[in-house]
């Protein structure tokens, strides 16, 4: 609860700061442009996309970018993957998501409630956040995702003895 209150206050301060800036182009305007361009990229090459890492260069060619801006991605996980890797990338993303859901369910069935809760929380956070941003270029998000996957997919061998409670 205290951490939640601190986060709420910080979020409120950030919102007030942003409202006071009176930007000509809002974050939503930028995202709408990014999403439109990503959708056009996907429509041009729906099977394989425009190529991994190509979004930034192609977006700069549209002329929608104000000089000095560093827009690296589509600010939407699903549109970014679709634009750069097409249906093949979307299917791979869906397969990974399904594997995560199945691993979370398996951890729950094994009685690993904390691991399952961590997996579910990460999955929901990434799925929801992915609608407004593309987070896989942030190393800490990648590491958190990989660590959670390791916890969820790790199984102890059946023949491994339980740890001894005796001091050695």
């Amino acid at each position: 609860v205290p951490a939640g209150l601190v986060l709420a206050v910080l979020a409120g301060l950030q919102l007030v700061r942003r409202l006071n800036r009176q930007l000509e182009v809002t974050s939503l305007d930028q995202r709408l442009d990014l999403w439109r361009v990503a959708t056009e990229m996907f429509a041009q090459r729906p099977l394989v996309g425009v190529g991994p890492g190509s979004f930034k260069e192609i977006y700069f060619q549209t002329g929608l970018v104000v000089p000095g801006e560093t827009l690296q991605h589509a600010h939407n996980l699903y549109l970014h993957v679709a634009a750069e890797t097409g249906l093949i990338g979307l299917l791979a993303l869906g397969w990974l998501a399904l594997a995560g859901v199945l691993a979370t369910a398996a951890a729950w069935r094994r009685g690993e409630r904390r691991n399952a809760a961590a997996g579910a929380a990460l999955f929901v956070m990434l799925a929801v956040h992915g609608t407004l941003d593309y987070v896989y270029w942030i190393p800490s998000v990648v590491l958190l995702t990989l660590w959670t996957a390791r916890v969820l997919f790790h199984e102890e061998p059946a023949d491994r003895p339980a740890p001894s409670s005796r001091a050695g």
Side-chain angles (χ1 to χ4, degrees):
V1 172
L5 291 174
V6 169
L7 287 173
V9 168
L10 291 174
L13 291 173
Q14 178 73 355
L15 180 62
V16 168
R17 192 182 113 233
R18 286 179 182 230
L19 289 174
N20 287 333
R21 271 199 274 164
Q22 299 296 321
L23 296 175
E24 286 181 25
V25 177
T26 67
S27 178
L28 179 60
D29 291 336
Q30 287 177 338
R31 278 179 167 77
L32 292 174
D33 283 341
L34 288 163
W35 297 345
R36 182 180 53 75
V37 171
T39 303
E40 289 172 7
M41 287 180 200
F42 175 67
Q44 289 172 2
R45 300 193 63 201
L47 185 60
V48 295
V50 295
S54 299
F55 181 86
K56 177 182 176 181
E57 287 76 22
I58 294 172
Y59 183 70
F60 283 145
Q61 293 172 6
T62 65
L64 296 171
V65 181
V66 176
E69 286 186 14
T70 56
L71 299 169
Q72 306 284 332
H73 49 81
H75 280 279
N76 181 301
L77 169 65
Y78 314 105
L79 289 175
H80 189 92
V81 169
E84 287 194 348
T85 59
L87 290 172
I88 293 172
L90 286 174
L91 288 172
L93 181 63
W95 180 82
L96 287 172
L98 178 62
V101 169
L102 294 175
T104 301
W108 184 267
R109 285 190 304 273
R110 287 191 307 269
E112 299 172 10
R113 303 293 194 241
R114 287 184 182 173
N115 291 346
L122 179 71
F123 180 74
V124 169
M125 182 274 301
L126 290 174
V128 172
H129 190 250
T131 61
L132 296 173
D133 209 350
Y134 177 79
V135 296
Y136 283 105
W137 62 277
I138 303 171
S140 59
V141 173
V142 173
L143 290 174
L144 177 63
T145 303
L146 291 173
W147 181 256
T148 303
R150 185 235 177 253
V151 168
L152 288 174
F153 288 104
H154 175 73
E155 290 188 36
E156 293 292 327
D159 60 345
R160 186 173 183 180
S164 174
S165 61
R166 295 185 327 182

